[in-house]
Amino acid sequence: MGTAVGGDRAVPRYVQIAEEIVQQIRAGVLKPGDMVPSESELVDRYGVSGGTIRKAMVEVRASGLVETRHGKGSLVKARPPVRHRSSDRFRRSHRKGGKAAYLAESEQAGATAKVSVLFIGPADAPDDIAERLGVESGAKVLARRRLYFRNGTPVETATSYLPWDVVKDIPELFSENPGPGGIYARLEDDGHVFAEFVETLQARPASKAESSELALSPGAPVIHLIRDAVTEEGRVVEVCDTLMAADQFVFSYRIPATD
C-alpha cells in the first residue's frame, strides 16, 4: 500500500518512513557517524518498493541531518545543537565588552566559535545592496566575507558591504580582526552610532555551491538573511548578506507592544 490514513488525510508511506528515520536520528538511535540502513535493508524492513525508499531518502536528506557519500550511502551528520539567534545579540553592552555578536552568542550557548575570513577588499555594490546603502549601483564599497564555525562545523556565511566614504578612514575595517567588539564597535568609535538593525529573512533550498560550503546535503534548507545597520542619523552604514544552515538556528525576537 502506498499511503496510510490518519484521520481524514492520507499520508504517503514514503513520508511516514522518512519521518521515522528522522526521529531515529533525533533520538540518537542513529548516532553521528552511523550509516543509514541501505536501500535493500529498508525495503526488507518496511516491505515497500525501492522507489518508495528512494523517495523517503529524498525527504531525509532534505532534513539536513544526513549527508550522502557516493558509493557509500547516507551518513548521519555530526551537527552541533541548535542555537538561538535573538535580537539581544546586538546589545551595545556586548560591543563595549569587546565581543562581536556571533562570538557573544556562541559563548552564552557554551559553544566553541571560530570565524574564517574569506575576503576583505573593495568591490562593486550589487544592485540590491546599493539600493539599501543609498549608493549608485556598482559604486565602490568595502566587502568583508566570512565563514562561521560552531564546534568545528560550518554553520553560516556572511558578507558585509560598507560604503567607501564611511570606511576609508577606519583602517581596522580592512583587517581580518577589526578589534574588540567587531566592525560595529569600530563604526561607533568613528561616530556612527546605531539606532536599529533591520533584518529580512527568507527560507529556501541551498544551491550546490552553498551546500558544499556549509557541509549540507544537496537542496537542504537554508535561511537567507539580509540585515541593514541603521545609524541615529538614519543612514545605512552596513548591509550584511547572510546564509545559515536552517537546522542550526532558532530565531527569537522581542516585539514592542507599545508605540
Side-chain angles (χ1 to χ4, degrees), residues 24-241:
Q24 289 176 354
I25 295 171
R26 295 193 187 281
V29 177
L30 288 171
K31 297 177 173 58
D34 286 351
M35 298 300 299
V36 175
S38 68
E39 180 180 317
S40 60
E41 289 174 317
L42 293 173
V43 165
D44 290 342
R45 177 183 300 179
Y46 292 104
V48 295
S49 68
T52 298
I53 295 301
R54 287 191 289 274
K55 290 173 69 175
M57 288 308 300
V58 169
E59 299 294 318
V60 174
R61 285 192 291 272
S63 73
L65 297 174
V66 303
E67 58 180 315
T68 301
R69 296 187 176 180
H70 183 68
K72 293 185 178 181
S74 296
L75 180 77
V76 179
K77 287 184 178 180
R79 302 294 290 172
V82 168
R83 72 180 180 88
H84 282 73
R85 190 178 180 93
S86 73
S87 51
D88 288 342
R89 69 190 185 280
F90 293 123
R91 288 169 54 189
R92 186 166 286 111
S93 60
H94 290 320
R95 296 194 292 279
K96 288 184 176 180
K99 298 174 184 176
Y102 180 80
L103 297 179
E105 198 167 47
S106 294
E107 182 178 285
Q108 290 174 352
T112 300
K114 176 187 173 183
V115 182
S116 178
V117 177
L118 305 178
F119 173 81
I120 300 175
D124 298 335
D127 292 348
D128 56 334
I129 301 297
E131 183 177 356
R132 289 171 175 271
L133 289 174
V135 300
E136 293 184 2
S137 180
K140 184 179 180 181
V141 296
L142 174 66
R144 295 178 55 93
R145 179 165 173 77
R146 293 92 65 198
L147 177 61
Y148 293 87
F149 296 81
R150 188 170 189 265
N151 295 339
T153 299
V155 295
E156 175 180 343
T157 64
T159 303
S160 290
Y161 298 92
L162 302 100
W164 196 259
D165 67 296
V166 169
V167 303
K168 61 183 177 64
D169 296 321
I170 310 177
E172 295 90 341
L173 296 184
F174 293 81
S175 301
E176 285 195 15
N177 183 356
I183 65 174
Y184 290 161
R186 300 292 77 75
L187 286 165
E188 290 203 311
D189 288 346
D190 199 58
H192 305 283
V193 179
F194 294 110
E196 63 178 351
F197 299 91
V198 181
E199 295 187 335
T200 303
L201 297 84
Q202 181 181 17
R204 61 171 174 79
S207 68
K208 185 175 181 180
E210 292 165 348
S211 297
S212 177
E213 191 167 43
L214 291 175
L216 300 170
S217 297
V222 291
I223 301 294
H224 185 199
L225 181 151
I226 298 181
R227 179 175 63 254
D228 295 349
V230 187
T231 67
E232 291 179 341
E233 287 73 33
R235 182 176 184 184
V236 176
V237 294
E238 184 237 18
V239 174
C240 189
D241 191 336

